[in-house]
Amino acid sequence: MTHTYSVKGMTCGGCASTVQRVLSSVQNVEDVKIDLSKSTAEITMDHHIPAAILQQALQKYPYQISEDGNYKDMVKTANEFWQDNQVWKRASSNTLNCLIGCSIGDFLMIIFLQRYYPATSMGVQMVLAVIAGLITSVSLETVLLHRREKLSWNSSFKMAISMSFISMIAMEIVMNATDFMITGGKAAFENPMYWTALAIAMAAGFLAPLPYNYFKLKKYNQACH
């Protein structure tokens, strides 16, 4: 990566050479280019190096180095990217729809297996529950896209897969893993603690893909549901 720093105190070519030599000796610095006319140092490095580290290397010389506005603007822009409340609201709504779709197939499969095939191992139950959850979530999204966007069934299905599949997989894995850690995967509806565990698992499943859904919506205007 390359960052630009302001360097005060350089008055001649000798100053520029000194600054270039000293900064080039700093660990993780790969290349240094000095622009004397702009009083800047363009530094290529393995990772961002704080100006305080660079200033320490220059402490024997009358030069002052500081972050250039370009880097500060870049950080500010990155922070602002994640601060769009409207996008968070829409991403949350989309993720909730996805959660509903996943939960329908997921828990119906667990109930079915534990009632009619109780000898099924817990590992197999979790795998089948994830697959069922993915199927119902994709199906629900396909229907929503077909009705809301007036797309053909084929186009709706393809869009559902392309926009939401990663989100669904993350949601299913986290939700089932959380449920298994708390309850062992056993659906005990008569136990009030089961419903508490279920709420925790669904909350975890909701939060896991939410940043990803926000990113896709904010950067590419792609959303699930």
Side-chain angles (χ1 to χ4, degrees), residues 80-95 206-207 209-215 217:
E80 289 177 346
F81 179 88
W82 295 99
Q83 296 175 358
D84 192 327
N85 291 331
Q86 292 301 316
V87 175
W88 277 116
K89 289 179 181 179
R90 185 179 171 193
S92 297
S93 176
N94 295 336
T95 305
F206 173 80
L207 293 173
L210 181 58
Y212 171 79
N213 290 338
Y214 176 97
F215 175 82
L217 182 59

Side-chain angles (χ1 to χ4, degrees), residues 80-171:
E80 289 177 346
F81 179 88
W82 295 99
Q83 296 175 358
D84 192 327
N85 291 331
Q86 292 301 316
V87 175
W88 277 116
K89 289 179 181 179
R90 185 179 171 193
S92 297
S93 176
N94 295 336
T95 305
L96 181 60
N97 289 333
C98 192
L99 179 66
I100 293 171
C102 286
S103 298
I104 292 172
D106 193 310
F107 292 108
L108 285 178
M109 176 60 72
I110 291 176
I111 293 170
F112 172 78
L113 291 174
Q114 292 187 1
R115 180 170 182 178
Y116 296 104
Y117 300 94
T120 305
S121 69
M122 192 56 61
V124 173
Q125 286 189 41
M126 292 294 104
V127 171
L128 292 177
V130 168
I131 293 173
L134 293 175
I135 291 173
T136 53
S137 188
V138 170
S139 300
L140 175 60
E141 183 168 343
T142 299
V143 171
L144 290 174
L145 287 169
H146 176 70
R147 292 184 176 180
R148 292 177 180 176
E149 307 300 330
K150 307 303 180 182
L151 299 174
S152 67
W153 286 109
N154 186 49
S155 296
S156 296
F157 174 75
K158 289 181 178 179
M159 186 172 292
I161 292 292
S162 65
M163 291 196 303
S164 303
F165 205 62
I166 293 177
S167 174
M168 295 174 193
I169 291 175
M171 178 178 291

